[in-house]
Amino acid sequence: MNIKKGLAVAVILLFIGVTFVPSIYANVSRASIDSDLVEFTTEVCGFNGGKRTVKLTQEESGEVEALFDSIREQLNASETREEAEEIFKEAVVELDKYGLLGGLSVEQAQRLVTGGYQNPRMMKIIENMISRSQEDNNSNFFCLVTGRTDETLFVSPRMRFIYPFVRHWLFDGPHPILDLIFKFANDNVKFMVLLFIVFLAVILTYWSNDVLKLYQRNPLPRRCMIYLGKGLSGGIPASGWINTYGFNGKVGWEGEFYGNLPWGCFTYAKQYPAVDGFRGFQLYIDKFEETHFYLGSARWVKIGDNPPKI
Protein backbone atom coordinates (compact mmCIF):
# COMPACT_ATOMS: atom_id res chain seq x y z
CA MET A 1 0.00 0.00 0.00
CA ASN A 2 2.83 2.37 0.88
CA ILE A 3 4.53 1.62 -2.41
CA LYS A 4 1.35 2.48 -4.30
CA LYS A 5 1.02 5.76 -2.39
CA GLY A 6 4.64 6.56 -3.15
CA LEU A 7 4.15 5.90 -6.85
CA ALA A 8 1.02 8.08 -6.89
CA VAL A 9 2.87 10.96 -5.26
CA ALA A 10 5.75 10.56 -7.72
CA VAL A 11 3.37 10.63 -10.69
CA ILE A 12 1.67 13.77 -9.36
CA LEU A 13 5.01 15.53 -8.83
CA LEU A 14 6.14 14.52 -12.31
CA PHE A 15 2.93 15.89 -13.78
CA ILE A 16 3.36 19.19 -11.92
CA GLY A 17 6.96 19.45 -13.12
CA VAL A 18 5.99 18.80 -16.73
CA THR A 19 3.26 21.43 -16.46
CA PHE A 20 5.28 24.26 -14.91
CA VAL A 21 8.82 23.79 -16.18
CA PRO A 22 8.00 24.87 -19.77
CA SER A 23 6.35 28.07 -18.52
CA ILE A 24 9.30 28.79 -16.23
CA TYR A 25 11.68 28.13 -19.10
CA ALA A 26 9.59 30.36 -21.37
CA ASN A 27 9.68 33.21 -18.81
CA VAL A 28 13.45 32.88 -18.42
CA SER A 29 13.89 32.81 -22.21
CA ARG A 30 11.64 35.86 -22.62
CA ALA A 31 13.62 37.77 -19.98
CA SER A 32 16.83 36.79 -21.73
CA ILE A 33 15.47 38.01 -25.07
CA ASP A 34 14.24 41.30 -23.54
CA SER A 35 17.67 41.92 -22.02
CA ASP A 36 19.18 41.62 -25.50
CA LEU A 37 16.84 44.20 -27.01
CA VAL A 38 17.83 47.83 -27.55
CA GLU A 39 15.31 50.64 -27.03
CA PHE A 40 15.57 53.20 -29.82
CA THR A 41 13.61 56.44 -29.41
CA THR A 42 12.59 58.62 -32.34
CA GLU A 43 11.64 62.27 -31.79
CA VAL A 44 10.02 64.19 -34.63
CA CYS A 45 11.11 67.82 -34.97
CA GLY A 46 8.42 69.60 -36.93
CA PHE A 47 5.07 68.31 -38.20
CA ASN A 48 3.59 68.81 -34.71
CA GLY A 49 6.35 66.78 -33.08
CA GLY A 50 5.94 63.39 -31.46
CA LYS A 51 8.05 60.70 -29.83
CA ARG A 52 8.03 56.92 -30.09
CA THR A 53 10.23 54.18 -28.65
CA VAL A 54 10.71 50.78 -30.29
CA LYS A 55 12.70 47.72 -29.23
CA LEU A 56 15.27 46.40 -31.70
CA THR A 57 17.55 43.42 -31.55
CA GLN A 58 21.28 43.97 -31.21
CA GLU A 59 21.63 43.12 -34.90
CA GLU A 60 18.94 45.60 -35.94
CA SER A 61 20.48 48.29 -33.74
CA GLY A 62 23.81 47.79 -35.52
CA GLU A 63 22.04 48.02 -38.87
CA VAL A 64 20.50 51.40 -37.94
CA GLU A 65 23.91 52.76 -36.95
CA ALA A 66 25.39 51.40 -40.18
CA LEU A 67 22.56 53.07 -42.11
CA PHE A 68 23.64 56.52 -40.94
CA ASP A 69 27.25 55.80 -41.88
CA SER A 70 25.99 54.74 -45.30
CA ILE A 71 23.97 57.97 -45.66
CA ARG A 72 27.12 59.91 -44.92
CA GLU A 73 29.18 58.07 -47.52
CA GLN A 74 26.50 58.47 -50.17
CA LEU A 75 26.10 62.16 -49.38
CA ASN A 76 29.84 62.67 -49.79
CA ALA A 77 29.65 61.04 -53.22
CA SER A 78 26.59 62.99 -54.40
CA GLU A 79 27.03 65.82 -56.89
CA THR A 80 23.66 67.59 -56.88
CA ARG A 81 20.99 68.58 -54.36
CA GLU A 82 18.56 66.30 -56.16
CA GLU A 83 20.84 63.30 -55.62
CA ALA A 84 21.19 64.20 -51.95
CA GLU A 85 17.42 64.38 -51.54
CA GLU A 86 17.01 60.93 -53.08
CA ILE A 87 19.54 59.57 -50.57
CA PHE A 88 17.47 61.03 -47.71
CA LYS A 89 14.25 59.62 -49.15
CA GLU A 90 15.76 56.14 -49.41
CA ALA A 91 17.01 56.47 -45.83
CA VAL A 92 13.44 57.17 -44.69
CA VAL A 93 12.27 53.96 -46.38
CA GLU A 94 14.95 52.03 -44.48
CA LEU A 95 14.06 53.65 -41.14
CA ASP A 96 10.43 52.72 -41.72
CA LYS A 97 11.43 49.04 -41.79
CA TYR A 98 12.47 49.38 -38.15
CA GLY A 99 9.43 51.43 -37.11
CA LEU A 100 11.56 54.54 -36.55
CA LEU A 101 9.46 57.23 -38.24
CA GLY A 102 7.74 58.36 -35.04
CA GLY A 103 4.25 57.64 -36.35
CA LEU A 104 4.63 59.50 -39.66
CA SER A 105 3.99 57.88 -43.03
CA VAL A 106 6.88 57.38 -45.42
CA GLU A 107 5.61 60.20 -47.64
CA GLN A 108 5.27 62.64 -44.73
CA ALA A 109 8.70 61.73 -43.41
CA GLN A 110 10.33 62.11 -46.83
CA ARG A 111 8.86 65.55 -47.28
CA LEU A 112 9.89 66.52 -43.75
CA VAL A 113 13.57 65.53 -44.04
CA THR A 114 14.03 67.09 -47.48
CA GLY A 115 12.66 70.51 -46.52
CA GLY A 116 9.30 70.06 -48.21
CA TYR A 117 7.52 71.98 -45.46
CA GLN A 118 9.74 75.04 -45.81
CA ASN A 119 8.06 78.27 -46.89
CA PRO A 120 9.45 78.79 -50.42
CA ARG A 121 8.82 82.55 -50.42
CA MET A 122 10.61 83.01 -47.11
CA MET A 123 13.45 80.79 -48.31
CA LYS A 124 13.86 82.95 -51.42
CA ILE A 125 13.91 86.18 -49.42
CA ILE A 126 16.56 84.91 -47.02
CA GLU A 127 18.56 83.34 -49.84
CA ASN A 128 18.74 86.71 -51.58
CA MET A 129 20.05 88.22 -48.35
CA ILE A 130 22.88 85.71 -48.08
CA SER A 131 25.94 86.90 -49.90
CA ARG A 132 28.33 84.47 -51.56
CA SER A 133 31.05 86.16 -49.56
CA GLN A 134 29.70 84.33 -46.55
CA GLU A 135 30.77 80.99 -47.99
CA ASP A 136 33.25 79.20 -45.75
CA ASN A 137 34.00 75.75 -44.44
CA ASN A 138 32.21 76.39 -41.16
CA SER A 139 28.63 77.06 -42.26
CA ASN A 140 25.83 76.12 -44.61
CA PHE A 141 22.35 77.48 -45.33
CA PHE A 142 19.03 75.88 -46.32
CA CYS A 143 20.64 72.49 -46.22
CA LEU A 144 20.00 68.83 -45.76
CA VAL A 145 21.74 67.74 -42.58
CA THR A 146 22.60 64.37 -41.07
CA GLY A 147 24.84 63.57 -38.14
CA ARG A 148 26.02 61.25 -35.42
CA THR A 149 27.28 63.12 -32.35
CA ASP A 150 27.47 63.11 -28.58
CA GLU A 151 27.17 66.11 -26.21
CA THR A 152 24.08 66.99 -28.24
CA LEU A 153 20.96 68.84 -27.10
CA PHE A 154 17.77 69.26 -29.14
CA VAL A 155 15.67 72.20 -27.95
CA SER A 156 12.05 72.64 -29.00
CA PRO A 157 10.54 76.00 -30.02
CA ARG A 158 8.66 76.16 -26.71
CA MET A 159 11.79 75.81 -24.66
CA ARG A 160 13.69 78.29 -26.81
CA PHE A 161 10.96 80.86 -26.30
CA ILE A 162 10.49 80.61 -22.56
CA TYR A 163 14.12 80.10 -21.52
CA PRO A 164 15.20 83.77 -21.91
CA PHE A 165 12.39 84.73 -19.50
CA VAL A 166 13.33 82.32 -16.74
CA ARG A 167 17.03 83.02 -17.25
CA HIS A 168 16.51 85.97 -14.89
CA TRP A 169 16.04 83.54 -12.02
CA LEU A 170 18.72 81.00 -12.91
CA PHE A 171 21.92 82.92 -12.17
CA ASP A 172 24.02 80.21 -13.82
CA GLY A 173 22.63 77.56 -11.53
CA PRO A 174 19.62 75.23 -11.31
CA HIS A 175 16.31 76.67 -10.12
CA PRO A 176 12.95 75.04 -9.29
CA ILE A 177 11.16 77.01 -12.00
CA LEU A 178 13.38 75.40 -14.64
CA ASP A 179 12.34 71.96 -13.37
CA LEU A 180 8.70 72.96 -13.74
CA ILE A 181 9.22 74.13 -17.29
CA PHE A 182 10.88 70.90 -18.35
CA LYS A 183 8.20 68.91 -16.50
CA PHE A 184 5.30 70.66 -18.22
CA ALA A 185 6.91 71.15 -21.65
CA ASN A 186 4.69 68.46 -23.20
CA ASP A 187 1.48 69.42 -21.40
CA ASN A 188 -0.19 72.13 -23.48
CA VAL A 189 -2.48 73.54 -20.78
CA LYS A 190 -0.01 73.57 -17.90
CA PHE A 191 2.76 74.87 -20.12
CA MET A 192 0.67 77.79 -21.38
CA VAL A 193 -0.42 78.70 -17.83
CA LEU A 194 3.18 78.63 -16.64
CA LEU A 195 4.29 80.62 -19.67
CA PHE A 196 1.65 83.29 -18.98
CA ILE A 197 2.67 83.60 -15.32
CA VAL A 198 6.37 83.91 -16.16
CA PHE A 199 5.62 86.36 -18.96
CA LEU A 200 3.64 88.63 -16.63
CA ALA A 201 6.38 88.47 -14.01
CA VAL A 202 9.01 89.55 -16.51
CA ILE A 203 6.82 92.28 -18.00
CA LEU A 204 6.08 93.75 -14.59
CA THR A 205 9.64 93.43 -13.32
CA TYR A 206 11.92 94.17 -16.25
CA TRP A 207 9.67 95.45 -19.04
CA SER A 208 11.58 97.56 -21.56
CA ASN A 209 15.22 96.40 -21.71
CA ASP A 210 14.81 92.67 -21.26
CA VAL A 211 11.69 92.24 -23.38
CA LEU A 212 13.34 94.22 -26.18
CA LYS A 213 16.45 92.05 -25.98
CA LEU A 214 14.28 88.96 -26.01
CA TYR A 215 12.55 90.09 -29.20
CA GLN A 216 15.81 90.99 -30.91
CA ARG A 217 17.65 87.78 -30.03
CA ASN A 218 14.96 85.12 -30.01
CA PRO A 219 11.70 86.27 -31.69
CA LEU A 220 9.16 83.48 -31.23
CA PRO A 221 11.16 80.61 -32.75
CA ARG A 222 9.05 78.04 -34.56
CA ARG A 223 11.58 75.29 -35.10
CA CYS A 224 14.01 73.10 -33.26
CA MET A 225 17.60 74.11 -32.58
CA ILE A 226 20.50 71.70 -32.04
CA TYR A 227 23.27 72.54 -29.57
CA LEU A 228 26.71 70.88 -29.76
CA GLY A 229 29.29 70.94 -26.97
CA LYS A 230 28.97 72.69 -23.64
CA GLY A 231 30.89 75.10 -21.45
CA LEU A 232 31.28 73.22 -18.18
CA SER A 233 34.85 72.63 -16.94
CA GLY A 234 36.35 74.97 -19.51
CA GLY A 235 34.53 73.60 -22.53
CA ILE A 236 33.51 70.10 -23.59
CA PRO A 237 33.28 69.63 -27.38
CA ALA A 238 30.83 67.37 -29.16
CA SER A 239 32.41 64.55 -31.11
CA GLY A 240 31.31 62.59 -34.14
CA TRP A 241 30.42 63.80 -37.61
CA ILE A 242 27.90 66.07 -39.38
CA ASN A 243 27.32 66.35 -43.12
CA THR A 244 25.27 69.00 -44.92
CA TYR A 245 24.28 69.74 -48.51
CA GLY A 246 22.87 73.18 -49.19
CA PHE A 247 23.50 76.75 -50.31
CA ASN A 248 27.27 76.36 -49.85
CA GLY A 249 27.33 72.94 -51.47
CA LYS A 250 28.70 70.05 -49.42
CA VAL A 251 30.06 71.05 -46.03
CA GLY A 252 30.93 68.55 -43.30
CA TRP A 253 32.67 68.24 -39.94
CA GLU A 254 34.35 65.31 -38.21
CA GLY A 255 36.16 64.89 -34.90
CA GLU A 256 35.56 67.33 -32.05
CA PHE A 257 33.71 70.62 -32.50
CA TYR A 258 31.34 73.21 -31.02
CA GLY A 259 28.23 74.97 -32.24
CA ASN A 260 29.18 78.45 -33.52
CA LEU A 261 25.90 80.19 -34.30
CA PRO A 262 25.93 83.81 -33.07
CA TRP A 263 23.34 83.42 -30.31
CA GLY A 264 23.48 82.92 -26.60
CA CYS A 265 24.12 79.59 -24.93
CA PHE A 266 21.28 77.48 -23.59
CA THR A 267 20.88 76.48 -19.90
CA TYR A 268 23.35 76.94 -17.08
CA ALA A 269 25.56 74.23 -18.67
CA LYS A 270 26.06 76.62 -21.62
CA GLN A 271 25.40 74.43 -24.62
CA TYR A 272 26.48 76.03 -27.90
CA PRO A 273 23.97 76.56 -30.76
CA ALA A 274 24.96 74.74 -33.96
CA VAL A 275 21.85 74.09 -36.11
CA ASP A 276 18.95 76.51 -36.50
CA GLY A 277 15.53 75.71 -37.95
CA PHE A 278 15.92 71.93 -37.88
CA ARG A 279 13.08 69.76 -39.12
CA GLY A 280 13.42 66.01 -39.24
CA PHE A 281 14.22 63.14 -36.90
CA GLN A 282 16.56 62.56 -34.00
CA LEU A 283 17.15 59.02 -32.78
CA TYR A 284 18.87 57.93 -29.60
CA ILE A 285 19.22 55.01 -27.21
CA ASP A 286 19.72 57.09 -24.06
CA LYS A 287 18.85 60.77 -24.43
CA PHE A 288 21.37 61.96 -21.85
CA GLU A 289 24.29 59.60 -22.42
CA GLU A 290 24.44 57.92 -25.80
CA THR A 291 25.04 59.10 -29.34
CA HIS A 292 22.35 61.05 -31.17
CA PHE A 293 21.57 60.30 -34.81
CA TYR A 294 19.66 62.84 -36.87
CA LEU A 295 18.35 63.34 -40.38
CA GLY A 296 16.50 66.35 -41.75
CA SER A 297 16.79 69.89 -43.10
CA ALA A 298 17.88 73.17 -41.51
CA ARG A 299 18.03 76.89 -42.23
CA TRP A 300 21.52 77.51 -40.90
CA VAL A 301 24.37 75.34 -39.63
CA LYS A 302 27.56 76.82 -38.22
CA ILE A 303 30.21 74.74 -36.44
CA GLY A 304 33.82 75.38 -35.42
CA ASP A 305 36.81 73.80 -33.71
CA ASN A 306 36.59 76.24 -30.78
CA PRO A 307 33.75 77.56 -28.60
CA PRO A 308 32.16 80.74 -29.98
CA LYS A 309 33.04 84.12 -28.49
CA ILE A 310 29.69 85.13 -27.05
Side-chain angles (χ1 to χ4, degrees):
M1 181 66 68
N2 290 334
I3 294 176
K4 290 183 178 180
K5 289 183 178 180
L7 287 174
V9 171
V11 170
I12 293 172
L13 291 175
L14 179 62
F15 177 77
I16 293 174
V18 170
T19 302
F20 287 98
V21 166
S23 62
I24 294 173
Y25 177 77
N27 289 335
V28 171
S29 298
R30 191 178 302 112
S32 176
I33 292 173
D34 287 343
S35 66
D36 290 336
L37 295 178
V38 177
E39 287 193 348
F40 252 96
T41 299
T42 301
E43 288 195 12
V44 181
C45 301
F47 209 83
N48 297 322
K51 180 167 68 173
R52 179 171 294 184
T53 298
V54 300
K55 291 184 178 181
L56 304 179
T57 64
Q58 294 285 349
E59 181 179 357
E60 290 172 331
S61 175
E63 290 171 356
V64 172
E65 295 187 24
L67 171 62
F68 277 85
D69 291 332
S70 175
I71 296 170
R72 180 192 183 198
E73 293 174 2
Q74 294 179 65
L75 199 62
N76 283 334
S78 63
E79 297 182 356
T80 65
R81 170 76 181 229
E82 289 71 24
E83 290 180 10
E85 289 184 359
E86 286 303 315
I87 293 168
F88 273 43
K89 289 179 180 179
E90 287 299 320
V92 165
V93 174
E94 292 299 314
L95 290 174
D96 183 52
K97 295 178 181 178
Y98 302 98
L100 293 173
L101 296 186
L104 299 187
S105 68
V106 170
E107 293 74 17
Q108 289 172 328
Q110 288 177 330
R111 187 178 177 189
L112 180 66
V113 301
T114 56
Y117 293 103
Q118 301 271 13
N119 185 324
R121 294 180 61 184
M122 182 61 65
M123 288 177 62
K124 193 63 179 178
I125 292 172
I126 299 178
E127 184 176 325
N128 291 334
M129 296 170 59
I130 299 173
S131 169
R132 283 288 178 177
S133 63
Q134 288 182 296
E135 287 189 26
D136 56 57
N137 293 326
N138 291 325
S139 63
N140 212 342
F141 306 90
F142 295 115
C143 53
L144 303 176
V145 55
T146 183
R148 175 179 181 171
T149 55
D150 60 11
E151 296 298 343
T152 303
L153 176 68
F154 281 70
V155 180
S156 68
R158 284 179 178 177
M159 291 304 302
R160 287 180 57 201
F161 174 70
I162 197 172
Y163 179 75
F165 287 115
V166 302
R167 185 68 181 83
H168 297 289
W169 291 281
L170 294 181
F171 301 109
D172 290 325
H175 192 279
I177 197 168
L178 184 63
D179 295 333
L180 286 175
I181 289 169
F182 276 104
K183 180 178 179 180
F184 298 143
N186 293 320
D187 187 313
N188 289 335
V189 175
K190 292 180 180 178
F191 184 88
M192 292 307 297
V193 171
L194 182 61
L195 174 62
F196 181 70
I197 293 172
V198 173
F199 180 77
L200 285 181
V202 173
I203 291 295
L204 295 174
T205 307
Y206 300 98
W207 180 237
S208 58
N209 291 335
D210 292 311
V211 173
L212 180 60
K213 289 178 182 178
L214 168 68
Y215 178 78
Q216 292 172 336
R217 297 180 59 184
N218 199 11
L220 294 176
R222 297 177 58 192
R223 300 185 190 172
C224 180
M225 183 176 283
I226 305 175
Y227 293 73
L228 296 174
K230 59 186 179 182
L232 290 177
S233 302
I236 302 173
S239 62
W241 57 264
I242 298 177
N243 278 39
T244 65
Y245 202 122
F247 189 79
N248 287 347
K250 288 185 287 188
V251 182
W253 300 265
E254 183 176 7
E256 295 185 341
F257 38 72
Y258 297 86
N260 270 207
L261 287 175
W263 297 310
C265 299
F266 186 82
T267 79
Y268 64 90
K270 298 181 180 178
Q271 279 91 352
Y272 300 110
V275 181
D276 175 52
F278 178 79
R279 283 183 170 177
F281 299 96
Q282 71 148 324
L283 296 86
Y284 53 84
I285 299 173
D286 185 322
K287 186 171 185 177
F288 298 102
E289 298 293 339
E290 300 292 340
T291 300
H292 291 243
F293 302 86
Y294 35 100
L295 180 77
S297 63
R299 286 185 297 220
W300 189 5
V301 179
K302 189 173 180 63
I303 295 170
D305 295 331
N306 299 302
K309 297 179 180 179
I310 300 175

